[in-house]
Each structure stands twice: as structure tokens, then as C-alpha cells.
Amino acid sequence: MTEFGHFIDGTTIAGTRHFPVRNPANSAILGHAPLADAATLDAAVAAAARAFAGWSATPDADRAAAVSRIADAIERHAEELAQLLTAEQGKPLNGTGSRFEVQGAIGWTRYTASLALAPEVIQDNAAGRIELHRRPIGVVGSITPWNWPLMIAVWHFVPAIRAGNTVVLKPSPLTPLSTLRMIEIAGAVLPPGVLNVVTGDDTLGPLMTAHPGIAKIAFTGSSATGRKVMESASATLKRLTLELGGNDAGIVLPDADPAAIAEGLFWGAFINSGQTCAALKRLYVHDDIYDAVCDALVDYAASVPLGDGAGEDNLLGPLQNEAQFAKVARFVDEARAAGARVLTGGAPSGGAGYFYPVTLVADAREGMRLVDEEQFGTALPIIRYSDVEDAIARANASENGLGGSVWSSDRARAKAVAARLECGTAWINKHGAIQPDVPFGGVKHSGIGTSFGRQGLEEFTTIQIVND
């Protein structure tokens, strides 16, 4: 069985202790990840701190070229990474699965290499010249989740190093192997210490957020954990970028065409088996077309194969872990007991793996945890409404505000409704679409800060004014 190592100061470091990583499709052990302790983390932070002086002083064009080399290196190992990702995360190789994720990581890296933060001239006159410069912060700590482990790692470490910082990354203990391998590949084209990765159990994250040698934390995960990150980081006044949970609402207006929107609704909800922060998690449908939308979704769901992600024909895989499987099952069972109708799914077949079928739940309502809380899996509550004003109010009655969507044949009307949604991104006739040149972030309890584009790059800098 393969034992993976940390990557610190340009070298793969064997751990003295390891923990098993399992395939969610069959519970087989894939390999063993190293279990870091405080001393291991200290070594990684020290390596990043040593590298910072030289990397931050590297000419901008050279840093851009180095980030481009990272994209090239990941591309050379794309299939290896995709296979490893499917094995530990469960997502299928095809569709919007592992190969899609790896290609996304490459594309995001290439785009970020093209960005630059030129000085801004605020004043240039007889009274003097005032310039605004963006400076790197120092050592960035990156804590990534298990749902999109490679893509989100790239979202963290690539803009950080592009801006002149150095990085220590900690992946989820549920999906560490593909990240360990990717950082080893990327780190090989960088100076030693610029990019480091350590893995461990749930005790490692708090050590990072409290570490005095880390100047900024980039964290993607639940809102509850985000609050703990803020609390821990407060003692050292770390800068933070937090992309947290979502309970995204979609509103289907009465003029929408059910057959035309069914595919978009389905993948908006069930991309990555619903295990996406900005997936569609509550669907509000007008009375006039409620039954037709439900029928169209049931019909489309029947065409999507679910199974072991290693199967080339499957488009959905298992949920990633037992706790997530149990949560989805519990929420669906509670909704059914409270009077909701399960239109399809809702009855796992049992056996090996965390396979929960696509489940569409009609006549759901607020007060059910399937509606009020983020289910993060293959179950979608479909909620009836008769007044658009009521639907907007109900969609906004959440502590989360990551994304939202409006579905209509009248784009102007849809945009007017979308403008009233309390969320960071409002989509029209689609849900969850992101791209590297468009800023992304949440409001309310869905996060602090922005990712992607120039604004996302700026998150990894501080401002210095040069007043001449």
C-alpha cells in the first residue's frame, strides 16, 4: 500500500505516522497519508518564511512564468491526478467529474498567471506623486475541503504565489492524496519552500489558524468551521478569505418552460452529487408549472447514470463519506415523515459505498431541515409558491447568501428578480456557473472576501502608499 509524504522545502518528507484514505465507492484503502504534528507544521512554516524574502522580490514577469509552468506540470500529469481524485473523492472520471476538475485547475492556473497588479497613480502633480502598490503578505495558510480538492487548492495557492506570497497547504484528511501529489508536481517547478503541503487530522487546522508564522488564512468549508477559523486567527490578527457554506435558492417564474430548464436545474443541483457550496439546494416553483417542473426533473434524472466513479459511463458517483451520506438520508426521511412527497430516489440500495440515489422531494416547506439547512448531497427539495414577492422573501430568509438563480423565459423580468436576491452571485437560467475572470464570494454567513479575477488576486496583498 502506497505511503504518501508531506512536501516541505522542495522535498517529499516521509511521515513517521500515517492514516488510511478510503475509496467512498467501496471503502477499500487506497493509500496512507502522513500525519503531521506541530513540529511538522513548524518546519513547513519555517521553510515558507525562508523562501518569502526571495520569492517576494522575484520580478513579476518571472513569477507569472513560474505559475504558467505549474499549469504545464499539472497538465502533464492530468490523467494520473484524475484517477487518484476519483479513487479518493468518488466523483466520476467523466462529465463534470475528475477530468473536468483537473482541466479546471489547469485553466484557472493559466488565467491567474496572466494577471498583474500594476501600481495605481492616485496623484501626479506639482504637489507630488502618490502611488498605490500591492505588496505580498507573507506566509499564507490554505485549508481546503474534500468536495473539490484540486480545484479549490488551486484557487488558494495559485493567486497567493502569483502575488509573491509563499504557502503552506492543508487538505482535508478525507481527500489528501491527490492534493499531496499535485503539490509535489507543482512544487517541483518552484524554488524550495514557496509551496508546501502537510496533512493530518482535525487537530492540524487549529494549529495553522493560530500559528504566529502564518500571516493569512484562505479557508473553504462550512460556516460553522469558518467562525472557528476567525476566532482562532484573531489572536494574531491574520487576514482571512473565507468561502463558506451556501443554501442556494432558485426561483422558477411562471413563464418558464419546464422542459427547457430541466437539464440546467438538474445539474445546478446535482453537480458533484450536490456536494458543492454553490449548488442549487432549494427550488421554489410557481403553482402554475409546479407539477410540470417536477415531472421534467424526474424524467431527466432517470437518464443520468450513477455508480462507481471509475466507470467511464457514470456521471454521478457516491457521496464522499459516511457522515454526509447519513445526513442526506436523515434529512430526506424527516421531510417524508413531515408530509413531503419523494418523487424519485430516497431509498438507498445498501451494499458497499456511500451511494445515495438522486432524490427529488416535492411539497417541501420551511421548517424541514432539508429546506432550512445545507444538505450537501443528492437530494433537492421542491417548494411551491404562488406569489413572486413571497418567493423572494422565502429565498432570502436564510443566514447564507452564496448564490441564487432565477428561471424564466423573460430575461428582463428574471434580472429584476435576481437583483433582489441576497447573494454574492445571481444567475439567470443557470446555476453555479463560475469562471476565473469573474469575482466570486458570498454575503451574510457565506463568507468574507472574494476569489477569482483581479479582485481575488488582491486578496493576497496589502496596500502600500508611496507618497513622493
Side-chain angles (χ1 to χ4, degrees), residues 49 80 152 183 210 246 255 281 308 348 359 411 413 417 444:
E80 172 196 351
I152 293 175
I183 299 303
D255 61 4
K281 300 190 176 80
D308 190 327
T359 300
R411 300 188 73 84
R413 184 184 183 196
V417 174
K444 298 194 282 190

Side-chain angles (χ1 to χ4, degrees), residues 156-217:
H156 288 190
F157 83 78
V158 170
I161 64 175
R162 177 67 189 87
N165 304 283
T166 55
V167 175
V168 176
L169 190 148
K170 185 203 85 69
S172 166
L174 295 171
T175 55
L177 304 184
S178 57
T179 306
L180 284 168
R181 182 65 181 125
M182 181 177 71
I183 299 303
E184 187 177 51
I185 291 164
V189 303
L190 295 169
V194 171
L195 182 58
N196 311 271
V197 59
V198 294
T199 60
D201 57 22
D202 290 338
T203 64
L204 185 58
L207 292 176
M208 288 184 67
T209 56
H211 200 290
I214 293 176
K216 175 184 172 72
I217 291 288

Side-chain angles (χ1 to χ4, degrees), residues 1-169:
M1 192 64 63
T2 303
E3 287 189 352
F4 288 69
H6 309 291
F7 187 79
I8 299 173
D9 209 13
T11 303
T12 300
I13 307 294
T16 57
R17 296 184 299 153
H18 293 79
F19 60 93
V21 179
R22 296 181 181 273
N23 186 330
N26 54 29
S27 296
I29 295 176
L30 302 170
H32 291 81
L35 188 65
D37 56 15
T40 309
L41 177 61
D42 287 344
V45 173
R50 287 193 301 271
F52 176 70
W55 184 247
S56 61
T58 298
D60 187 73
D62 292 348
R63 291 205 302 262
V67 172
S68 292
R69 289 196 297 273
I70 292 173
D72 294 340
I74 294 173
E75 191 165 41
R76 288 193 295 271
H77 295 270
E79 185 61 17
E80 172 196 351
L81 291 170
Q83 294 283 344
L84 187 54
L85 177 58
T86 285
E88 69 172 350
Q89 203 281 336
K91 65 183 64 183
L93 288 167
N94 292 319
T96 53
S98 293
R99 290 175 180 139
F100 170 86
E101 180 170 347
V102 173
Q103 290 304 313
I106 295 166
W108 247 269
T109 302
R110 290 202 197 287
Y111 177 77
T112 306
S114 74
L115 294 173
L117 297 175
E120 176 187 343
V121 178
I122 296 174
Q123 174 183 302
D124 189 8
N125 55 29
R129 181 179 174 92
I130 300 175
E131 298 174 344
L132 183 153
H133 292 258
R134 291 278 175 178
R135 308 297 191 197
I137 299 169
V139 178
V140 172
S142 163
I143 303 175
T144 59
W146 49 259
N147 57 335
W148 295 90
L150 298 187
M151 186 89 87
I152 293 175
V154 160
W155 294 348
H156 288 190
F157 83 78
V158 170
I161 64 175
R162 177 67 189 87
N165 304 283
T166 55
V167 175
V168 176
L169 190 148

Side-chain angles (χ1 to χ4, degrees), residues 270 328 332 342-347 356-361 370 378-381:
F270 296 116
V328 173
V332 170
V342 175
L343 302 176
T344 188
Y356 197 90
V358 169
T359 300
L360 299 167
V361 181
L370 185 61
T378 40
L380 177 66

